[in-house]
Amino acid sequence: MNAFSDAIDDMFADPNMAVTVNYQGRPVRALVRQPDRDIEFSDITVQTSTAVFEIRRQEVPAPQAGDIIIHDGDSFVVQGEPRLDGERLVWTLDTRPA
């Protein structure tokens, strides 16, 4: 373990920063962001809500598109390719409502 991985573990353990979500039927800790995104179609811009989950690789070694995350009673489907951070410790998962 190095100082960076220790800091990541502390961040995910902090109840003010991380929450427990249900990932494919099992509880894992996650950082959750729910930004609104603008999607443009020709001359029209539509604002849509999204959810981005950051999950430690040690808890979910190989997430895949199509996996289900349940947060606060809402279901989300992982879309696109999960991305690892530079230290290869944390996955960033873009999702859409299920």
Side-chain angles (χ1 to χ4, degrees), residues 19 21 30-37 39 48-55 67 69-72 74-80 83 91-98:
V19 297
V21 299
L31 303 176
V32 181
R33 293 179 282 133
Q34 293 184 290
D36 288 339
R37 290 195 180 148
I39 299 174
T48 182
S49 60
T50 62
V52 177
F53 294 86
E54 293 182 71
I55 296 176
D67 287 353
I69 299 172
I70 299 173
H71 170 58
D72 281 345
D74 296 320
S75 296
F76 299 91
V77 177
V78 175
Q79 63 181 2
R83 297 178 313 274
W91 289 108
T92 298
L93 309 173
D94 287 319
T95 66
R96 63 174 170 76

Side-chain angles (χ1 to χ4, degrees), residues 3-19 29-31 54-56 85 89-90:
F4 188 74
S5 64
D6 289 343
I8 293 290
D9 288 342
D10 289 344
M11 186 171 55
F12 277 86
D14 186 332
N16 297 303
M17 298 192 72
V19 297
R29 297 291 289 170
L31 303 176
E54 293 182 71
I55 296 176
R56 288 180 293 181
D85 68 333
L89 297 173
V90 177

Side-chain angles (χ1 to χ4, degrees), residues 57-69:
R57 185 178 183 191
Q58 70 185 31
E59 289 191 87
V60 180
Q64 298 179 31
D67 287 353
I68 302 292
I69 299 172

